[in-house]
Amino acid sequence: MIDARHEFPIAYTAAGEDIFGIVTSPPRPHGIGVVLLSGGDFIPSTNRNRLYVRMARRLAAAGYHVLRFDYHGVGESTGDIQGYSSDRPFVHDVSGAVAWFERAGISEVVLVGNCFGSRTALAAAERVAGLKAIVLISSPVRDFRSGERVPTRLARDGGMPAYLLRGMRLDVFRRSLLGRYRRRYISIIKTWAREKIRLARGDGKPDGGEPQAEWVSERLVQQMAGVVRRRIPTLVVYGAEEDLYDEFTRARAGRLGTTIDRAGPLVEVRTLEGTVHGFPTLAVQQTVLDLVEEWIWRAVPGKGTPSLRAGAAGRP
Amino acid sequence: MSLRVDFPQTIQRVLAGGQVHETAGFFGLPGERLFGVTHLPAGAIHGGLVICSSIGPEQLTSYRNEVVLARRLAAAGVAVQRFHYRGSGHSDGEDVDLTLGTMVEDAAAAAARLAEVTAVHHPSFLGTRWGALVATRAASLAAGAPLVVWEPVADPARAFRELFRTQASHELKIGTPGRRTSEMMLAELEANGQVDILGYALQRGFYQSAIRAALADGLSGRQRLLVVRLGRTVGAEAGLADFTAAAEAAGCAVEVISLEQAPVWHFVDHSAGWGAVLVERTTQWLLAATAAEAAGRGAS
């Protein structure tokens, strides 16, 4: 059984901040490192209900070295942040984690991230020469700030005609009879109308003067294309009931879909029941744990190599 | 193949321009190790504090405030010990084994750890939400030491009912099929030994250990006590009034402050730094209480 006996704390410097992390060391290592990236909203590296502690210990039991860390301004790390934006991922924090693994003699790594963490993983991917696989859980496909309301985001894309057409689909119409969906649809339509009125009045940019978000993040599409070009196995996970999946599904009709289709079996999209974003239930946590472990084992089975090099705990 | 551990289980860091020295890592017996961080002043140590966090989603909500408070106090000369209970956070153990009793044991182990590192044998205690029940009991080990509680759970039965109601709202929000009432959740807890509350397993062991616990049970008397209320939780007044009355009856010097800023305890809170005022007021109170405590000990 893997527990704290197999774990040790580390620290490294990234963009001037002192980043704190914990490495889980496998009893039978095979030389592959896994970096776990939490979502935004000041969630430390344990993630909800210790999901990443459990994931680290399970992956270590399967032979992977696993590093979970607190972003700067979060948990035990130093620094200060005022919020999160999916177009400003904390790439330096991830690069530091990967550099720590490299100093320890582990040059092949897998990145696993959820929500903001998945965007950070994707943004960092091009800097990781030894990237062997990447897992993107509930990844936002558009650029937005944490706390921005979903109806605002949906209304801002300007695609109300398409949205109304979608509402005429039988399954969507059925759902619209349910309270929560009905409220959401009405909220989106109201927000869309308010934005149009405000723009018509010349009251400035939508949503209180912030830059207008692009519908699908161009950065995301390019980063995904980069991963596909490098033939990096990628697992994409969503919950069927979450807004992020709605957006991903719509985005697949465009260049993102073309990129994913070009990759063939290298990019695996898995849709789980219910909501995955934020890991809101014990059942979905268990499903994600099983899926991620099984997929990583299949994508990057590892090879026989020695344990971590002593001395890597030092700072750069 | 045997395990090779080449790295120490703690790490030292120097932060805040050299004012704070931190030792972070694991301590305790194999299989029961606690994760903890000891925040030490660079210079003389004028007192100590053990922080007893809450559990479940509340632990994450308050996490950063507790770190910031610890660093502020350490920079001002107070050594602080933080820790994760067994069965939570980075520590060993499973949530099924976590009870109010094990939480108090872990707080005592954290106090012992602080004493081992700093020779502070009568630390103050601070408890957040459910951690307040732990802090009041652990503080009795250091009779007379100052005590701080942040939005304490003064009425556990009411707090559990709130959790069930919050879960019911949560199920409505995420569209869970076959949504449950509070009564159904309680029945599930009794029948299965656990129930899913906001993605955490509320275990029967913890429920039974805490349902009848009174916040005032552990008060040792003649303590300086700071009660911090955050926002206006409707219905919480009665339990808190009972607690402060019991504390005053026991000879405690009680100060209650109410702050407008309140987090959303059970869900992710997007607002950065919601606890800035909380940390500032607590720091000032603890520094004054620690100084008074030291002066009192000197006089006696």
Side-chain angles (χ1 to χ4, degrees):
Chain A
M1 180 187 164
I2 304 290
D3 59 19
R5 272 173 294 191
H6 306 81
E7 297 188 320
F8 52 89
I10 64 157
Y12 57 89
T13 305
E17 298 299 345
D18 198 282
I19 306 297
F20 177 84
I22 290 182
V23 172
T24 312
S25 192
R28 287 175 291 279
H30 52 51
I32 307 287
V34 179
V35 181
L36 304 181
L37 286 75
S38 298
D41 297 324
F42 302 91
I43 301 288
S45 59
T46 55
N47 217 323
R48 180 186 284 254
N49 193 25
R50 318 171 82 193
L51 181 71
Y52 276 3
V53 179
R54 290 182 281 154
M55 189 178 286
R57 291 174 183 176
R58 278 185 61 164
L59 287 169
Y64 300 92
H65 298 280
V66 187
L67 167 53
R68 56 185 190 268
F69 67 89
D70 294 331
Y71 293 120
H72 67 277
V74 177
E76 310 294 341
S77 294
T78 65
D80 190 23
I81 50 176
Q82 295 305 314
Y84 300 81
S85 182
S86 54
D87 63 339
R88 296 188 198 96
F90 298 162
V91 172
H92 292 297
D93 296 1
V94 187
S95 299
V98 172
W100 188 92
F101 262 143
E102 286 170 351
R103 286 196 301 279
I106 303 293
S107 58
E108 298 181 331
V109 298
V110 178
L111 300 178
V112 178
N114 72 285
C115 193
F116 177 79
S118 69
R119 289 293 300 268
T120 301
L122 204 49
E126 65 180 5
R127 300 184 183 199
V128 183
L131 183 65
K132 302 307 286 183
I134 187 165
V135 178
L136 310 171
I137 303 169
S138 294
S139 190
V141 295
R142 67 171 76 216
D143 293 335
F144 65 96
R145 288 162 289 126
S146 66
E148 189 177 75
R149 294 178 64 239
V150 171
T152 307
R153 297 206 319 262
L154 292 175
R156 279 201 327 198
D157 77 19
M160 187 51 63
Y163 198 80
L164 290 174
L165 277 175
R166 184 167 171 263
M168 293 166 70
R169 276 173 24 205
L170 187 60
D171 59 326
V172 178
F173 179 73
R174 274 197 197 124
R175 285 202 308 184
S176 71
L177 298 177
L178 298 173
R180 90 183 177 91
Y181 289 105
R182 189 171 61 240
R183 282 193 296 277
R184 196 168 99 193
Y185 294 142
I186 291 170
S187 175
I188 290 164
I189 291 167
K190 277 183 175 172
T191 308
W192 178 82
R194 273 199 302 271
E195 293 292 318
K196 293 294 175 195
I197 291 167
R198 192 160 55 174
L199 284 172
R201 284 180 180 161
D203 287 351
K205 292 174 181 173
D207 196 27
E210 292 297 324
Q212 174 122 8
E214 294 170 344
W215 157 215
V216 179
S217 167
E218 182 59 26
R219 292 181 193 86
L220 172 88
V221 174
Q222 288 176 7
Q223 288 157 359
M224 196 72 189
V227 166
V228 168
R229 266 197 306 276
R230 291 168 61 192
R231 310 293 297 162
I232 305 291
T234 303
L235 174 64
V236 179
V237 183
Y238 287 100
E241 294 295 327
E242 62 199 31
D243 298 316
L244 293 167
Y245 180 59
D246 283 349
E247 295 183 349
F248 173 74
T249 306
R250 293 164 65 201
R252 276 193 90 167
R255 286 200 300 127
L256 183 63
T258 310
T259 302
I260 289 174
D261 293 343
R262 194 184 305 135
L266 272 177
V267 176
E268 188 174 335
V269 179
R270 296 288 291 270
T271 311
L272 308 180
E273 280 184 28
T275 299
V276 170
H277 183 226
F279 310 115
T281 67
L282 297 174
V284 88
Q285 291 165 16
Q286 191 59 47
T287 305
V288 168
L289 280 174
D290 293 342
L291 173 61
V292 170
E293 184 188 3
E294 179 270 332
W295 185 85
I296 289 178
W297 182 250
R298 192 156 39 86
V300 195
K303 56 188 187 299
T305 51
S307 301
L308 295 176
R309 275 205 298 262
R315 292 164 191 281
Chain B
M1 184 183 292
S2 63
L3 171 70
R4 279 187 55 204
V5 177
D6 296 316
F7 299 98
Q9 284 222 296
T10 58
I11 188 168
Q12 277 78 40
R13 309 159 78 196
V14 179
L15 307 175
Q19 292 184 82
V20 179
H21 292 225
E22 287 186 2
T23 302
F26 299 96
F27 61 95
L29 298 171
E32 297 190 341
R33 283 193 166 93
L34 297 181
F35 172 78
V37 182
T38 313
H39 306 255
L40 297 174
I45 296 173
H46 303 302
L49 172 73
V50 176
I51 296 181
C52 306
S53 307
S54 193
I55 53 172
E58 296 173 358
Q59 186 204 16
L60 303 187
T61 306
S62 191
Y63 200 110
R64 189 65 176 173
N65 288 321
E66 293 167 7
V67 172
V68 173
L69 174 72
R71 288 176 181 163
R72 288 279 304 275
L73 285 168
V78 176
V80 181
Q81 182 68 51
R82 296 175 34 255
F83 66 100
H84 295 174
Y85 305 105
R86 282 170 292 167
S88 78
H90 297 301
S91 292
D92 273 341
E94 301 298 330
D95 53 10
V96 69
D97 299 318
L98 185 150
T99 66
L100 186 56
T102 64
M103 291 166 77
V104 175
E105 286 172 10
D106 293 345
R113 171 75 170 179
L114 184 66
E116 182 186 313
V117 176
T118 65
V120 172
H121 293 283
H122 289 85
S124 305
F125 283 83
L126 181 149
T128 306
R129 298 284 296 150
W130 291 100
L133 289 165
V134 179
T136 51
R137 284 157 175 75
S140 66
L141 304 171
L147 174 66
V148 180
V149 287
W150 282 353
E151 192 64 19
V153 171
D155 181 350
R158 182 177 175 281
F160 282 125
R161 284 197 302 275
E162 262 176 19
L163 276 176
F164 293 144
R165 279 199 295 268
T166 305
Q167 174 64 21
S169 309
H170 184 55
E171 291 182 2
L172 188 67
K173 181 171 178 280
I174 66 172
T176 305
R179 291 191 294 271
R180 301 167 296 171
T181 62
S182 297
E183 292 71 25
M184 291 162 75
M185 288 181 225
L186 190 54
E188 190 179 325
L189 177 66
E190 292 297 331
N192 301 341
Q194 69 170 47
V195 61
D196 185 344
I197 302 289
L198 306 170
Y200 290 80
L202 173 60
Q203 300 286 351
R204 185 165 51 202
F206 176 73
Y207 179 84
Q208 290 177 343
S209 71
I211 183 76
R212 289 181 189 83
L215 193 53
D217 279 354
L219 287 175
S220 58
R222 298 188 308 283
Q223 286 173 293
R224 290 178 179 81
L225 169 62
L226 175 66
V227 180
V228 184
R229 293 207 57 197
L230 299 169
R232 293 190 179 88
T233 312
V234 177
E237 294 83 358
L240 271 179
D242 289 347
F243 171 59
T244 52
E248 282 168 349
C252 294
V254 184
E255 184 177 344
V256 180
I257 59 173
S258 295
L259 303 179
E260 287 293 321
Q261 282 181 303
V264 182
W265 283 107
H266 300 142
F267 295 104
V268 168
D269 195 331
H270 298 291
S271 52
W274 65 264
V277 178
L278 169 70
V279 167
E280 177 59 28
R281 295 285 295 270
T282 305
T283 301
Q284 296 309 322
W285 189 92
L286 272 166
L287 290 177
T290 302
E293 181 74 6
R297 284 186 195 284
S300 63

Short mmCIF file of all heavy atoms in Angstrom, two decimals, chain A residues 216-257:
data_model
loop_
_atom_site.label_atom_id
_atom_site.label_comp_id
_atom_site.label_asym_id
_atom_site.label_seq_id
_atom_site.Cartn_x
_atom_site.Cartn_y
_atom_site.Cartn_z
N VAL A 216 -13.97 30.12 -29.69
CA VAL A 216 -13.04 29.03 -29.34
C VAL A 216 -11.65 29.64 -29.27
O VAL A 216 -11.24 30.36 -30.17
CB VAL A 216 -13.06 27.91 -30.38
CG1 VAL A 216 -12.08 26.81 -30.00
CG2 VAL A 216 -14.46 27.33 -30.50
N SER A 217 -10.96 29.33 -28.22
CA SER A 217 -9.63 29.92 -28.03
C SER A 217 -8.69 29.51 -29.16
O SER A 217 -8.46 28.32 -29.38
CB SER A 217 -9.06 29.45 -26.69
OG SER A 217 -7.70 29.76 -26.62
N GLU A 218 -8.14 30.50 -29.83
CA GLU A 218 -7.19 30.23 -30.90
C GLU A 218 -5.94 29.56 -30.32
O GLU A 218 -5.36 28.65 -30.93
CB GLU A 218 -6.82 31.55 -31.61
CG GLU A 218 -5.86 31.40 -32.78
CD GLU A 218 -6.39 30.48 -33.88
OE1 GLU A 218 -7.62 30.34 -34.02
OE2 GLU A 218 -5.55 29.87 -34.58
N ARG A 219 -5.57 30.02 -29.12
CA ARG A 219 -4.40 29.42 -28.47
C ARG A 219 -4.63 27.92 -28.25
O ARG A 219 -3.76 27.11 -28.50
CB ARG A 219 -4.17 30.06 -27.09
CG ARG A 219 -3.73 31.49 -27.12
CD ARG A 219 -3.51 31.97 -25.69
NE ARG A 219 -3.38 33.40 -25.63
CZ ARG A 219 -4.41 34.24 -25.54
NH1 ARG A 219 -5.63 33.78 -25.50
NH2 ARG A 219 -4.21 35.54 -25.49
N LEU A 220 -5.82 27.61 -27.76
CA LEU A 220 -6.14 26.22 -27.47
C LEU A 220 -6.02 25.37 -28.75
O LEU A 220 -5.42 24.28 -28.73
CB LEU A 220 -7.55 26.10 -26.91
CG LEU A 220 -8.06 24.68 -26.76
CD1 LEU A 220 -7.67 24.09 -25.42
CD2 LEU A 220 -9.57 24.61 -26.92
N VAL A 221 -6.57 25.88 -29.84
CA VAL A 221 -6.54 25.12 -31.10
C VAL A 221 -5.09 24.90 -31.54
O VAL A 221 -4.70 23.79 -31.93
CB VAL A 221 -7.34 25.86 -32.20
CG1 VAL A 221 -7.19 25.15 -33.54
CG2 VAL A 221 -8.81 25.96 -31.80
N GLN A 222 -4.29 25.96 -31.42
CA GLN A 222 -2.88 25.83 -31.83
C GLN A 222 -2.12 24.87 -30.92
O GLN A 222 -1.30 24.07 -31.39
CB GLN A 222 -2.21 27.21 -31.82
CG GLN A 222 -2.68 28.09 -32.96
CD GLN A 222 -2.09 29.49 -32.89
OE1 GLN A 222 -1.23 29.77 -32.06
NE2 GLN A 222 -2.55 30.37 -33.76
N GLN A 223 -2.40 24.98 -29.63
CA GLN A 223 -1.69 24.08 -28.70
C GLN A 223 -2.08 22.63 -28.94
O GLN A 223 -1.25 21.73 -28.89
CB GLN A 223 -2.02 24.49 -27.26
CG GLN A 223 -1.35 25.79 -26.85
CD GLN A 223 -2.05 26.49 -25.70
OE1 GLN A 223 -3.06 26.02 -25.18
NE2 GLN A 223 -1.50 27.62 -25.29
N MET A 224 -3.36 22.42 -29.20
CA MET A 224 -3.83 21.05 -29.49
C MET A 224 -3.17 20.54 -30.78
O MET A 224 -2.75 19.38 -30.84
CB MET A 224 -5.35 21.07 -29.62
CG MET A 224 -5.99 19.72 -29.53
SD MET A 224 -5.94 19.11 -27.83
CE MET A 224 -6.51 17.45 -28.11
N ALA A 225 -3.09 21.42 -31.77
CA ALA A 225 -2.46 21.03 -33.04
C ALA A 225 -0.99 20.66 -32.81
O ALA A 225 -0.47 19.71 -33.41
CB ALA A 225 -2.58 22.16 -34.05
N GLY A 226 -0.34 21.40 -31.92
CA GLY A 226 1.06 21.11 -31.62
C GLY A 226 1.22 19.74 -30.98
O GLY A 226 2.14 18.98 -31.32
N VAL A 227 0.34 19.41 -30.08
CA VAL A 227 0.38 18.11 -29.42
C VAL A 227 0.13 16.99 -30.44
O VAL A 227 0.81 15.95 -30.43
CB VAL A 227 -0.68 18.07 -28.28
CG1 VAL A 227 -0.91 16.66 -27.78
CG2 VAL A 227 -0.23 18.97 -27.12
N VAL A 228 -0.82 17.23 -31.33
CA VAL A 228 -1.13 16.22 -32.35
C VAL A 228 0.06 16.04 -33.31
O VAL A 228 0.41 14.91 -33.66
CB VAL A 228 -2.41 16.63 -33.13
CG1 VAL A 228 -2.60 15.77 -34.37
CG2 VAL A 228 -3.63 16.53 -32.21
N ARG A 229 0.67 17.17 -33.70
CA ARG A 229 1.85 17.07 -34.60
C ARG A 229 2.95 16.23 -33.98
O ARG A 229 3.64 15.49 -34.66
CB ARG A 229 2.39 18.48 -34.87
CG ARG A 229 1.86 19.12 -36.15
CD ARG A 229 2.72 20.29 -36.59
NE ARG A 229 2.90 21.28 -35.55
CZ ARG A 229 2.04 22.27 -35.28
NH1 ARG A 229 0.94 22.38 -36.00
NH2 ARG A 229 2.29 23.14 -34.32
N ARG A 230 3.09 16.33 -32.66
CA ARG A 230 4.16 15.57 -31.98
C ARG A 230 3.74 14.13 -31.68
O ARG A 230 4.50 13.39 -31.05
CB ARG A 230 4.54 16.28 -30.68
CG ARG A 230 5.25 17.60 -30.93
CD ARG A 230 5.36 18.42 -29.64
NE ARG A 230 6.12 17.74 -28.61
CZ ARG A 230 6.18 18.13 -27.33
NH1 ARG A 230 5.48 19.17 -26.94
NH2 ARG A 230 6.91 17.47 -26.47
N ARG A 231 2.54 13.78 -32.08
CA ARG A 231 2.02 12.42 -31.89
C ARG A 231 1.97 12.06 -30.39
O ARG A 231 2.34 10.94 -29.97
CB ARG A 231 2.87 11.37 -32.64
CG ARG A 231 3.12 11.70 -34.11
CD ARG A 231 1.90 11.66 -34.95
NE ARG A 231 1.25 10.36 -35.05
CZ ARG A 231 0.00 10.18 -35.46
NH1 ARG A 231 -0.75 11.22 -35.78
NH2 ARG A 231 -0.51 8.97 -35.54
N ILE A 232 1.54 13.01 -29.58
CA ILE A 232 1.42 12.78 -28.13
C ILE A 232 0.04 12.18 -27.84
O ILE A 232 -0.99 12.79 -28.15
CB ILE A 232 1.54 14.11 -27.35
CG1 ILE A 232 2.82 14.86 -27.69
CG2 ILE A 232 1.40 13.86 -25.84
CD1 ILE A 232 4.07 14.23 -27.20
N PRO A 233 -0.03 11.01 -27.26
CA PRO A 233 -1.34 10.45 -26.89
C PRO A 233 -2.07 11.40 -25.93
O PRO A 233 -1.47 11.90 -24.97
CB PRO A 233 -0.99 9.14 -26.18
CG PRO A 233 0.38 8.80 -26.67
CD PRO A 233 1.07 10.11 -26.91
N THR A 234 -3.33 11.64 -26.21
CA THR A 234 -4.09 12.61 -25.42
C THR A 234 -5.44 12.02 -25.02
O THR A 234 -6.14 11.45 -25.85
CB THR A 234 -4.33 13.89 -26.26
OG1 THR A 234 -3.06 14.41 -26.67
CG2 THR A 234 -5.06 14.96 -25.45
N LEU A 235 -5.77 12.18 -23.75
CA LEU A 235 -7.09 11.76 -23.26
C LEU A 235 -7.88 13.02 -22.91
O LEU A 235 -7.41 13.85 -22.11
CB LEU A 235 -6.95 10.87 -22.02
CG LEU A 235 -8.26 10.49 -21.32
CD1 LEU A 235 -9.15 9.64 -22.22
CD2 LEU A 235 -7.99 9.76 -20.00
N VAL A 236 -9.06 13.14 -23.49
CA VAL A 236 -9.93 14.28 -23.22
C VAL A 236 -11.16 13.75 -22.49
O VAL A 236 -11.83 12.84 -22.99
CB VAL A 236 -10.34 14.98 -24.54
CG1 VAL A 236 -11.28 16.16 -24.26
CG2 VAL A 236 -9.11 15.44 -25.31
N VAL A 237 -11.46 14.31 -21.31
CA VAL A 237 -12.57 13.80 -20.50
C VAL A 237 -13.55 14.92 -20.17
O VAL A 237 -13.13 16.01 -19.75
CB VAL A 237 -12.04 13.18 -19.17
CG1 VAL A 237 -13.18 12.58 -18.37
CG2 VAL A 237 -10.98 12.15 -19.43
N TYR A 238 -14.82 14.64 -20.35
CA TYR A 238 -15.87 15.58 -19.94
C TYR A 238 -17.01 14.80 -19.30
O TYR A 238 -17.14 13.60 -19.49
CB TYR A 238 -16.45 16.32 -21.16
CG TYR A 238 -15.55 17.37 -21.74
CD1 TYR A 238 -14.78 17.10 -22.88
CD2 TYR A 238 -15.45 18.64 -21.18
CE1 TYR A 238 -13.95 18.06 -23.44
CE2 TYR A 238 -14.63 19.61 -21.73
CZ TYR A 238 -13.89 19.32 -22.85
OH TYR A 238 -13.07 20.27 -23.39
N GLY A 239 -17.85 15.53 -18.59
CA GLY A 239 -19.11 14.98 -18.13
C GLY A 239 -20.19 15.40 -19.13
O GLY A 239 -20.19 16.54 -19.59
N ALA A 240 -21.08 14.48 -19.43
CA ALA A 240 -22.09 14.75 -20.47
C ALA A 240 -23.01 15.91 -20.08
O ALA A 240 -23.59 16.56 -20.95
CB ALA A 240 -22.92 13.49 -20.71
N GLU A 241 -23.15 16.18 -18.79
CA GLU A 241 -24.10 17.19 -18.34
C GLU A 241 -23.48 18.55 -18.08
O GLU A 241 -24.15 19.45 -17.58
CB GLU A 241 -24.80 16.72 -17.06
CG GLU A 241 -25.68 15.51 -17.24
CD GLU A 241 -26.88 15.80 -18.14
OE1 GLU A 241 -27.38 16.93 -18.11
OE2 GLU A 241 -27.29 14.88 -18.88
N GLU A 242 -22.19 18.72 -18.37
CA GLU A 242 -21.58 20.00 -17.99
C GLU A 242 -21.50 20.97 -19.16
O GLU A 242 -21.40 20.56 -20.32
CB GLU A 242 -20.19 19.77 -17.36
CG GLU A 242 -19.18 19.13 -18.26
CD GLU A 242 -18.02 18.53 -17.45
OE1 GLU A 242 -18.25 18.09 -16.31
OE2 GLU A 242 -16.90 18.51 -17.99
N ASP A 243 -21.57 22.24 -18.82
CA ASP A 243 -21.52 23.29 -19.84
C ASP A 243 -20.26 23.21 -20.67
O ASP A 243 -20.27 23.47 -21.87
CB ASP A 243 -21.59 24.66 -19.17
CG ASP A 243 -22.87 24.85 -18.41
OD1 ASP A 243 -23.93 24.49 -18.95
OD2 ASP A 243 -22.82 25.32 -17.26
N LEU A 244 -19.16 22.84 -20.02
CA LEU A 244 -17.89 22.77 -20.74
C LEU A 244 -17.96 21.74 -21.86
O LEU A 244 -17.33 21.89 -22.90
CB LEU A 244 -16.75 22.43 -19.76
CG LEU A 244 -16.45 23.52 -18.73
CD1 LEU A 244 -15.54 22.97 -17.63
CD2 LEU A 244 -15.79 24.73 -19.38
N TYR A 245 -18.74 20.69 -21.63
CA TYR A 245 -18.88 19.68 -22.68
C TYR A 245 -19.73 20.21 -23.83
O TYR A 245 -19.44 19.94 -25.00
CB TYR A 245 -19.49 18.40 -22.11
CG TYR A 245 -19.67 17.32 -23.15
CD1 TYR A 245 -18.57 16.82 -23.85
CD2 TYR A 245 -20.92 16.79 -23.43
CE1 TYR A 245 -18.72 15.83 -24.81
CE2 TYR A 245 -21.09 15.79 -24.40
CZ TYR A 245 -19.98 15.33 -25.08
OH TYR A 245 -20.13 14.35 -26.03
N ASP A 246 -20.77 20.95 -23.50
CA ASP A 246 -21.58 21.60 -24.54
C ASP A 246 -20.68 22.42 -25.46
O ASP A 246 -20.76 22.36 -26.69
CB ASP A 246 -22.62 22.54 -23.92
CG ASP A 246 -23.80 21.78 -23.34
OD1 ASP A 246 -23.90 20.57 -23.61
OD2 ASP A 246 -24.59 22.40 -22.61
N GLU A 247 -19.83 23.21 -24.82
CA GLU A 247 -18.95 24.08 -25.59
C GLU A 247 -17.95 23.28 -26.42
O GLU A 247 -17.68 23.61 -27.58
CB GLU A 247 -18.21 25.03 -24.65
CG GLU A 247 -19.14 26.00 -23.95
CD GLU A 247 -18.41 27.00 -23.08
OE1 GLU A 247 -17.20 26.84 -22.83
OE2 GLU A 247 -19.08 27.95 -22.64
N PHE A 248 -17.41 22.22 -25.81
CA PHE A 248 -16.47 21.37 -26.54
C PHE A 248 -17.15 20.74 -27.76
O PHE A 248 -16.58 20.70 -28.86
CB PHE A 248 -15.92 20.29 -25.61
CG PHE A 248 -15.06 19.26 -26.30
CD1 PHE A 248 -13.78 19.57 -26.72
CD2 PHE A 248 -15.55 17.98 -26.55
CE1 PHE A 248 -12.99 18.62 -27.37
CE2 PHE A 248 -14.78 17.03 -27.19
CZ PHE A 248 -13.50 17.35 -27.61
N THR A 249 -18.36 20.27 -27.56
CA THR A 249 -19.10 19.63 -28.66
C THR A 249 -19.31 20.61 -29.81
O THR A 249 -19.12 20.27 -30.99
CB THR A 249 -20.46 19.13 -28.15
OG1 THR A 249 -20.24 18.30 -27.02
CG2 THR A 249 -21.18 18.32 -29.21
N ARG A 250 -19.67 21.84 -29.45
CA ARG A 250 -19.88 22.84 -30.49
C ARG A 250 -18.56 23.20 -31.17
O ARG A 250 -18.50 23.43 -32.37
CB ARG A 250 -20.53 24.08 -29.89
CG ARG A 250 -21.96 23.80 -29.42
CD ARG A 250 -22.46 24.87 -28.51
NE ARG A 250 -22.58 26.15 -29.17
CZ ARG A 250 -22.60 27.32 -28.53
NH1 ARG A 250 -22.50 27.37 -27.23
NH2 ARG A 250 -22.74 28.44 -29.21
N ALA A 251 -17.49 23.25 -30.36
CA ALA A 251 -16.17 23.60 -30.92
C ALA A 251 -15.67 22.54 -31.88
O ALA A 251 -14.91 22.83 -32.81
CB ALA A 251 -15.18 23.81 -29.79
N ARG A 252 -16.09 21.30 -31.66
CA ARG A 252 -15.61 20.21 -32.52
C ARG A 252 -16.11 20.37 -33.95
O ARG A 252 -15.58 19.75 -34.87
CB ARG A 252 -16.08 18.86 -31.98
CG ARG A 252 -15.18 18.32 -30.92
CD ARG A 252 -15.46 16.88 -30.63
NE ARG A 252 -14.65 15.99 -31.47
CZ ARG A 252 -14.52 14.69 -31.25
NH1 ARG A 252 -15.16 14.13 -30.25
NH2 ARG A 252 -13.78 13.94 -32.04
N ALA A 253 -17.14 21.18 -34.13
CA ALA A 253 -17.63 21.40 -35.50
C ALA A 253 -16.65 22.25 -36.29
O ALA A 253 -16.75 22.34 -37.52
CB ALA A 253 -18.99 22.09 -35.43
N GLY A 254 -15.70 22.87 -35.63
CA GLY A 254 -14.74 23.75 -36.31
C GLY A 254 -13.35 23.16 -36.39
O GLY A 254 -13.19 21.94 -36.46
N ARG A 255 -12.37 24.06 -36.31
CA ARG A 255 -10.98 23.62 -36.51
C ARG A 255 -10.50 22.69 -35.40
O ARG A 255 -9.63 21.85 -35.63
CB ARG A 255 -10.07 24.85 -36.60
CG ARG A 255 -10.22 25.57 -37.95
CD ARG A 255 -9.03 26.45 -38.23
NE ARG A 255 -8.86 27.46 -37.20
CZ ARG A 255 -7.74 27.66 -36.54
NH1 ARG A 255 -6.68 26.93 -36.77
NH2 ARG A 255 -7.66 28.62 -35.64
N LEU A 256 -11.04 22.86 -34.21
CA LEU A 256 -10.64 21.96 -33.13
C LEU A 256 -11.00 20.52 -33.49
O LEU A 256 -10.21 19.59 -33.28
CB LEU A 256 -11.31 22.37 -31.81
CG LEU A 256 -10.90 21.54 -30.59
CD1 LEU A 256 -9.41 21.70 -30.28
CD2 LEU A 256 -11.73 21.91 -29.37
N GLY A 257 -12.19 20.36 -34.07
CA GLY A 257 -12.63 19.03 -34.47
C GLY A 257 -11.75 18.45 -35.56
O GLY A 257 -11.38 17.27 -35.54
#
